[in-house]
């Protein structure tokens, strides 16, 4: 991941303003420690901090066309760049090996109507000196971060992270995923228009081989690298499939010729945590050289302020999950690794979170997956990108490949729903697609293993420790005055209050606090899904452990439960059992350590 920064239409084109641009851009250097570049044309500035992953010996930015009249800064991975290069043989002279250089000839050939031709993830700003116009664009789902701001002089600012422009803009916000901004049109236009975006329920039948092929293709294209790379491996379904497919196809790639086919796997967790045990089992099966990173609750608490600075959020679940990932990313980067693959996006696309078991029908199930995917740029994509980019480590997410999304979101959602009578658990469509008897990708007990909520997977005492710590830091009197001090997105518990105090000290602007989504949630649900179960509305903790669901329920709370989602669940917010009959099964929502699906952390690297 690189860091980009641009100011367009600035009234001040002095050396002092150029120096200010450079100072703002340097706030992104953690994202791109390998090189810095800046371009100025009158009152227009484009800067970049580079993390060199593809063509490290060339490709420094900004990038230009042949006569240097078109200039681009980009943070991206364009997986079809070689195909595009062939398209422009004899028409355009490429001067670098950068995959992002193809943006320039596409713009010259098609104007602003080329963004959908890019297969990859990206955030870029392009300036055309010939007509003094500019455009900016962000990838379909918002895997790569981008912010837009407006200066008091009418200038427009762009940055990979909020911290680069927050002090200089009178207003700023997230650049919306799947959109482009055009100075010629003086506004945004959505370039990504998939069928699922309208939230109409699809009817395509489930084809396991089509789903498998789409995912394998998504993984393989992300092995485009000229540096040592890796794949996350916690032992859960998503990361284990990413690791298994990588292991199976690595020998066929250019990367294998440079770095070999051996995988070194890495996992982070508290001593004795579920992820450590599960990752070790998967690593043994896949034949990786396995390493474990341990952290303590105090290590995590000490890192929280840095995590909030880098993540630019006060969302409770994001901070809980980011902290172990932030600590692990530093260890990984110290080994010389610059890029890893990760399993983000599966639970949103396939309804993998346990609360999806309670969806009343397939229409509501599908609408919730649409809402979750649309919001990824404010949650899991933000976490995975910023927690790792803090140390100059790039994360790639094959589940959020455009083609794979089309397949996953295009099938009849009835196939994705939990149904005990048919033997279907969450993400059954993915498990079934990779259940190969002749050439197994994973052992069956791993393939059909229910996953922990991420924050619990690294160790149950992590969340408990955070709660105990913030209870000591925030008094009852402070909570009583929370609405007065923080009238916007008022914290509802002491942990949220503590994170908000830190955030406000670092980012005191109104626009900053408005970039953070807020609302009731249970086990990573959207506020709309809270309506599925009346009793969920009483909880003020978003942890997935509040759903002790189905055969995997364990720990301090209620016992196991079964449901097909077509009824009302019994809920307990204490430490006692809660049981309710739902269509012949039992459902429990309790303050216990029930297993839940979330995002996994750990890494396997090829060196």
């Amino acid at each position: 991941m690189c860091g980009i920064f641009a100011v367009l239409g600035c009234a001040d084109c002095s050396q002092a303003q150029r120096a200010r641009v450079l100072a703002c851009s340097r706030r992104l250097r953690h994202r791109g420690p390998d090189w810095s570049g800046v371009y100025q044309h009158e009152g227009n500035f484009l800067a970049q901090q580079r993390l060199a992953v593809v063509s490290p010996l060339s490709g420094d930015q900004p990038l230009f066309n042949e006569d240097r009249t078109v200039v681009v800064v980009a943070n991206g991975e364009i997986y079809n760049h070689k195909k595009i290069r062939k398209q422009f043989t004899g028409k355009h002279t490429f001067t670098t090996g950068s995959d992002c250089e193809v943006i320039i000839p596409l713009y010259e050939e098609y104007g602003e109507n080329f963004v959908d031709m890019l297969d990859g993830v990206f955030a870029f700003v392009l300036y055309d000196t010939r007509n003094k116009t500019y455009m900016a664009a962000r990838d379909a789902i918002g895997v790569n971060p981008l912010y837009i701001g407006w200066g008091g002089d009418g200038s427009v600012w762009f940055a990979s992270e909020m911290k680069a422009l927050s002090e200089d803009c009178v207003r700023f916000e997230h650049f919306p995923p799947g959109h482009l901004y055009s100075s010629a049109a003086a506004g945004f236009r959505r370039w990504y228009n998939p069928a699922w975006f309208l939230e109409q329920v699809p009817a395509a039948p489930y084809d396991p081989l089509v789903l498998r092929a789409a995912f394998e293709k998504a993984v393989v294209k992300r092995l485009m690298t000229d540096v040592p790379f890796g794949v996350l491996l916690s032992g859960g379904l998503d990361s284990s499939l990413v690791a298994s497919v990588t292991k199976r196809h690595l020998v066929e790639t250019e990367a294998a010729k440079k770095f070999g086919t051996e995988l070194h796997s890495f996992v982070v967790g508290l001593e004795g945590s579920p992820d450590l045990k599960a990752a070790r089992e998967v690593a043994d099966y896949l034949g990786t050289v396995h390493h474990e990173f341990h952290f303590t609750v105090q290590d995590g608490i000490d890192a929280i302020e840095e995590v909030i600075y880098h993540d630019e959020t006060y969302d409770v679940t994001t901070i809980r999950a980011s902290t172990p990932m932030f600590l692990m990313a530093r260890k990984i980067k110290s080994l010389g690794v610059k890029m890893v693959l990760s399993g983000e996006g599966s639970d949103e696309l396939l309804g993998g979170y346990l609360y999806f078991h309670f969806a009343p029908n397939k229409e509501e199930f599908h609408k919730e997956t649409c809402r979750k995917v649309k919001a990824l740029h404010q949650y899991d994509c933000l976490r995975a990108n910023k927690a790792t980019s803090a140390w100059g480590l790039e994360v790639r997410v094959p589940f959020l490949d455009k083609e794979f999304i089309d397949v996953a979101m295009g099938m009849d959602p009835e196939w994705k729903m939990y149904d005990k009578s048919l033997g279907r658990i969450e993400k059954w469509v993915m498990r079934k697609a990779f259940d190969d008897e002749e050439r197994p990708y994973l052992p069956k007990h791993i393939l059909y293993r229910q996953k922990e909520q991420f924050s619990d997977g690294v160790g149950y005492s992590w969340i408990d420790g955070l709660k105990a710590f913030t209870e000591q830091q925030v008094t009852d009197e402070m909570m009583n005055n929370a609405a007065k001090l923080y009238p916007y997105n008022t914290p509802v518990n002491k942990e949220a209050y503590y994170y908000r105090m830190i955030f406000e000290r670092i980012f005191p602007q109104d626009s900053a606090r408005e970039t953070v989504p807020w609302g009731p949630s249970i086990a990573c649900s959207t506020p709309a899904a809270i309506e599925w179960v009346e009793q969920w509305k009483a909880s003020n903790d978003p942890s997935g452990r509040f759903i002790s669901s189905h055969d995997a329920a364990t720990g301090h709370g209620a016992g196991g439960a079964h449901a097909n989602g077509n009824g009302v669940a019994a809920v307990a917010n204490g430490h006692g059992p809660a049981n309710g009959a739902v269509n012949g099964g039992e459902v429990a929502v309790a303050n216990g350590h029930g297993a839940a699906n979330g995002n996994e952390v750990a890494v396997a690297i090829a060196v």
Side-chain angles (χ1 to χ4, degrees), residues 2 50 177 308 325 400 474 497 510 560 578:
C2 303
R50 188 187 184 203
I308 292 173
M325 198 171 199
L400 296 181
V474 179
Y497 191 106
D510 289 343

Side-chain angles (χ1 to χ4, degrees), residues 233-237 239-240 275 278-279 282 446 449 451 600 602:
L233 176 64
S234 74
L237 175 69
S239 63
S240 296
D275 278 0
V282 176
I446 294 174
R449 171 182 179 255
K451 183 66 181 77
E600 302 117 13

Side-chain angles (χ1 to χ4, degrees), residues 1 26 36 65 90 136 141 151 169 178 184 188 199 209 212 254 282 300 307 389 474 486 488 502 523 576 582 599:
M1 292 297 166
R26 279 194 293 271
S36 304
N65 64 349
I141 303 300
C169 292
F188 288 103
E199 301 184 7
L209 295 182
R212 182 203 293 184
E254 290 295 319
V282 176
V307 168
S389 291
V474 179
Y486 305 119
Y488 184 85
I502 297 173
V582 181
N599 297 300

Side-chain angles (χ1 to χ4, degrees), residues 17 27 75 112 124 155 166 168 217 236 253 264 278 305 332 352 380 406 438 457 555:
Q17 180 62 17
R27 295 181 183 178
N75 167 31
E112 295 178 346
F124 69 82
S155 56
S166 58
D168 294 83
K217 183 179 178 181
T253 68
H264 288 250
E305 188 154 341
I332 297 168
D380 286 19
D406 286 345
E438 295 184 2

Side-chain angles (χ1 to χ4, degrees), residues 535 548 553 557-562 568-572 576-582 585-590:
Q535 292 90 336
S548 291
H562 304 278
V568 178
V571 179
N579 294 293
V582 181
E586 294 180 348
V587 187
V589 179

Side-chain angles (χ1 to χ4, degrees), residues 3-144:
I4 63 170
F5 180 77
V7 183
L8 288 307
C10 184
D12 183 358
C13 56
S14 68
Q15 178 60 35
Q17 180 62 17
R18 182 184 177 96
R20 180 59 185 167
V21 168
L22 290 169
C24 292
S25 178
R26 279 194 293 271
R27 295 181 183 178
L28 304 174
R29 186 161 292 174
H30 54 276
R31 297 184 61 85
D34 297 334
W35 191 249
S36 304
V38 64
Y39 168 84
Q40 178 183 359
H41 180 263
E42 299 174 348
N44 303 286
F45 304 84
L46 289 82
Q48 197 235 25
Q49 305 287 338
R50 188 187 184 203
L51 180 69
V53 174
V54 174
S55 189
L57 298 180
S58 69
D60 290 341
Q61 297 190 31
L63 299 166
F64 301 90
N65 64 349
E66 292 92 335
D67 61 5
R68 298 177 71 86
T69 56
V70 177
V71 57
V72 168
V73 287
N75 167 31
E77 301 90 47
I78 310 302
Y79 303 120
N80 62 338
H81 78 105
K82 290 184 177 180
K83 180 179 179 181
I84 295 173
R85 283 173 178 265
K86 291 180 180 178
Q87 175 185 339
F88 288 99
T89 300
K91 298 181 181 179
H92 178 86
T93 301
F94 291 93
T95 59
T96 77
S98 170
D99 49 307
C100 291
E101 190 178 352
V102 298
I103 292 171
I104 294 173
L106 284 172
Y107 168 76
E108 292 185 312
E109 182 79 11
Y110 301 102
E112 295 178 346
N113 301 314
F114 70 89
V115 183
D116 200 24
M117 301 175 189
L118 299 173
D119 181 8
V121 294
F122 49 81
F124 69 82
V125 179
L126 179 150
Y127 179 66
D128 190 334
T129 65
R130 296 168 297 190
N131 51 24
K132 297 185 179 180
T133 61
Y134 60 89
M135 67 173 292
R138 189 177 183 188
D139 66 72
I141 303 300
V143 173
N144 286 10

